[in-house]
Every structure is written in structure tokens, then in C-alpha cells.
């Protein structure tokens, strides 16, 4: 009896309660879940049993990257089936969100981590992001909104929340390719500073500032937020950045914002959040976002309170991120022919799995996306309703 095959047969039976077909490395085909197969998994060779038991996300992810496993069907749907099967050992043993080792994200290490993910080429990102080159959760006012419109909606939504006034100063920590600071300057006539650790993003923001003749209102610096000295701001925004600082540095992030923000000023934090403490998925940490950490919502709220900030608005945008990731994954596949001229097959399979698994995580509620708006001290002049956001 082939013990490897017996192990994986039992594993597939445990993992998938939905109808599926599994083809093993010896050519044997087995149906699970009953009914017509909704997807097919092909094992070209057995994976390590010990790795599947101790860290299934890493073992499965590497197996797919290395073409030991193939999936025929909607990868996002397959992963959602895994997440939704509450009776499988993944949930019983809480293995799928295995806690990774926590390393200190000092300034040098933070820069290395950011460059690993974001400095792989603006030309690559341009193929599957929207026209604004915005790499964070969009905001869909309607299911029919294009990705570009939804990203513009998101920037507008944030700027409205910040209640910007002409002549104020704005800091964007982790400014990406500059869409938010450029729009803040053009729409509200504020003086905006964007900071990033990505040299690719920095270069593009500089170009955009010149192209739109916004040198008097907008600047960008290639700098860590902890290195920003002797300046304060009326508004501070951070979109999709705090997930990179690491658990041990979240306290420092909020204390730094406390120093940089003027009294009575406001800050908006746009962050992926979790519901259970546990670090981050080990495959994501190894291959996609090294040094990353997804905070739980109560963790962020506690830090806000500990720094004497006043939380004035909290919004979940979970399904907006599901839809955003689905757009990215679709654009990625549409651009596959061009991507294949830039990247090898291992990278492509890695990126495909990343986009699809994240979409599944948000859709199933394993992850959320929250915007938290808070002021430094009491601000009794702040609008008493949310009408300014939606009118």
C-alpha cells in the first residue's frame, strides 16, 4: 500500500466537502464531496507529509509555485471552499494562519522588505493596476464601477473624511504612486508631503509632480516615517502601510504620528485587519510581504486610546477589497502574455495564488479592511455628522 497516497486521499477527503476531482501522481482519479466536480486538483508528485501537517499554507503554496500541484477551475473559489469547511483539520488545529517568527523591522530592514515587494518594476504593476496606479482597496459606490473609478472614489472618500481646508498641511505615510497627495493638492489646495521607501514609487511620484506642475504644493521624499524630523502636519494619512511595520513597531507608529500631528489635527489609518491574533500567513510572509503583520482591530483601537487620540470614525470596507482583488486578478490574467516576457513561471504562479487567496480571505471574512479616523486631542469644531463625506 502506498502510504503517501493514503495520506493525501484522507487529507483531500477532510479538506473538501464540496464536489471536486483529484488526480494523483500515479494517474488514479478520485471524486470527493459527491456530485459533479466544481474543480480539479492534479498532484504531479506527493508533497511532504510533515510540511502539510505542520504548515499547510506554506506547503501548498510552494507546491503550486513549483508545479507539483495544478488547479483546474477558479482558484479563489477553491480556497474559499477550504476556508468555509469548518470541520477540516485546518480549522480544528488552527493551522492555516500559522504564526510566523517575528523579526524586528528596523529602518534598514523595513526598507529591504518594501523594496522586495514594490521595486519589482513599475511596468509590471502598470499592467494590472488601474490607470491611477493605486495599490490598495478601492471603494465601489456601485457594482458597475470600473476599477479606476472605484480607486478615485476611494481617494475622494478619504480626503472628504479628513475634512481638508485650503492651506493645511498633509502627510501621506507610504504614498504609493502619489494619487492621493496629488488629488489633495489639486482639489483642496493643501500642501502635501508623500513619503515612501520604494525607489520605483519615488521616481514616478517625482515625474507626476512635474507633469502636473504641482511643485509649489506637493513634494515626495524617499524616507522612513521615523526619520521625519522637525515637521508637523494638520492631517496625516496612511493607506495600506501599517501592515508592513511589524507587530513590535505598531506602538512606535502611533507615537510617531502623535509627534508629527498638530494639536486638534486628524489622522486617517486605512489598514487590513484580522479578527484573531496570529501574525500572518507564513507563505505570504515568505514570498509576498516579508516582515508583514496584520493587526487585529482592537489592537489598533487600543493604540489610539493609549496615545490620547480620539476615535471619531470607523468603517469596514471588507467586500470592497474582495472586489478590488478580483479586478486585479482578472487584469493579471488578461495581461499574462506581457507578464510572461518579464517574469518566470514560478513568479507568475506565486502572484496568481497571492491575488486569488487574498480575495478569498476577504470574501470569507478571514480578513477585513478598516478605515480609522482620529484626532489629536479634542476637536469640537469637527463636523457633527457624516454629511460632509457623502454630500
Amino acid at each position: 500500500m502506498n502510504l503517501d497516497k493514503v495520506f493525501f486521499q484522507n487529507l483531500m477527503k477532510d479538506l473538501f466537502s464540496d464536489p471536486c476531482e483529484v488526480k494523483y501522481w500515479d494517474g488514479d482519479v478520485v471524486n470527493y464531496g459527491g456530485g459533479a466536480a466544481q474543480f480539479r486538483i492534479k498532484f504531479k508528485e506527493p508533497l511532504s507529509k510533515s510540511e502539510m501537517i505542520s504548515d499547510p499554507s506554506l506547503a501548498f503554496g510552494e507546491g503550486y509555485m513549483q508545479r507539483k500541484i495544478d488547479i483546474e477551475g477558479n482558484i479563489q473559489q477553491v480556497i474559499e471552499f477550504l476556508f468555509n469547511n469548518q470541520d477540516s483539520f485546518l480549522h480544528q488545529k488552527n493551522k492555516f494562519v500559522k504564526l510566523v517568527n517575528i523579526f524586528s523591522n528596523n529602518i534598514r530592514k523595513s526598507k529591504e522588505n518594501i523594496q522586495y515587494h514594490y521595486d519589482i518594476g513599475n511596468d509590471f504593476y502598470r499592467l494590472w493596476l488601474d490607470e491611477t496606479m493605486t495599490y490598495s482597496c478601492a471603494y465601489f459606490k456601485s457594482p458597475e464601477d470600473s476599477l479606476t473609478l472605484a480607486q478615485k472614489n476611494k481617494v475622494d472618500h478619504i480626503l472628504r473624511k479628513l475634512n481638508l481646508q485650503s492651506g493645511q498641511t498633509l502627510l501621506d505615510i507610504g504614498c504609493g504612486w502619489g494619487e492621493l497627495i496629488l488629488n489633495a493638492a489639486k482639489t483642496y489646495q493643501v500642501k502635501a508631503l508623500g513619503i515612501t521607501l520604494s525607489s520605483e514609487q519615488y521616481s514616478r511620484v517625482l515625474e507626476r509632480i512635474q507633469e502636473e506642475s504641482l511643485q509649489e504644493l506637493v513634494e515626495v521624499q524617499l524616507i522612513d516615517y521615523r526619520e521625519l524630523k522637525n515637521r508637523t502636519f494638520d492631517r496625516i494619512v496612511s493607506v495600506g502601510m501599517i501592515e508592513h511595520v511589524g507587530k513590535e513597531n505598531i506602538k512606535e507608529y502611533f507615537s510617531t504620528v502623535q509627534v508629527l500631528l498638530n494639536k486638534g489635527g486628524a489622522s486617517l489609518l486605512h489598514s487590513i485587519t484580522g479578527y484573531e491574533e496570529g501574525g500572518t500567513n507564513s507563505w505570504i510572509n515568505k514570498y509576498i510581504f516579508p516582515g508583514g503583520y496584520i493587526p487585529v482591530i482592537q489592537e489598533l483601537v487600543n493604540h489610539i486610546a493609549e496615545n490620547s487620540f480620539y476615535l471619531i470614525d470607523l468603517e469596514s470596507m471588507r467586500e470592497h477589497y474582495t472586489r478590488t482583488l478580483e479586478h486585479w486578478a482578472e487584469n493579471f490574467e488578461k495581461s499574462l502574455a506581457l507578464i510572461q516576457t518579464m517574469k518566470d513561471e514560478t513568479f507568475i504562479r506565486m502572484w496568481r495564488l497571492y491575488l486569488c487567496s487574498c480575495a478569498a480571505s476577504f470574501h470569507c471574512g478571514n480578513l477585513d479592511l478598516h478605515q480609522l479616523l482620529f484626532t489629536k486631542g479634542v476637536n469640537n469644531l469637527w463636523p457633527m455628522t457624516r454629511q460632509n463625506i457623502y454630500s
Side-chain angles (χ1 to χ4, degrees), residues 89-107:
F89 89 108
L90 296 177
H91 293 277
Q92 293 169 357
K93 296 185 178 182
N94 197 30
K95 292 287 188 179
F96 208 82
V97 287
K98 179 181 174 67
L99 180 66
V100 301
N101 293 327
I102 301 298
F103 298 99
S104 176
N105 277 345
N106 55 32
I107 292 175

Side-chain angles (χ1 to χ4, degrees), residues 19 157 172 183 185 213 217 263 276-277 303 384:
H157 193 57
D172 185 355
N183 274 276
S213 301
L217 290 176
K263 185 177 180 180
E276 295 182 4
E277 292 192 25
H303 282 294
M384 293 180 65

Side-chain angles (χ1 to χ4, degrees), residues 76 136-147 150-151 317-331 355 358-360 362-363:
Q76 177 184 337
S136 55
C137 176
Y139 186 67
F140 293 85
K141 293 183 179 181
S142 164
E144 286 73 40
D145 285 351
S146 68
L147 180 58
Q151 291 292 10
M317 297 170 61
R318 179 177 59 81
E319 272 297 85
H320 291 273
Y321 219 163
T322 301
R323 191 176 294 273
T324 302
L325 283 153
E326 288 172 347
H327 273 279
W328 288 344
E330 182 180 356
N331 290 345
L355 294 173
C358 286
F362 282 100
H363 190 55

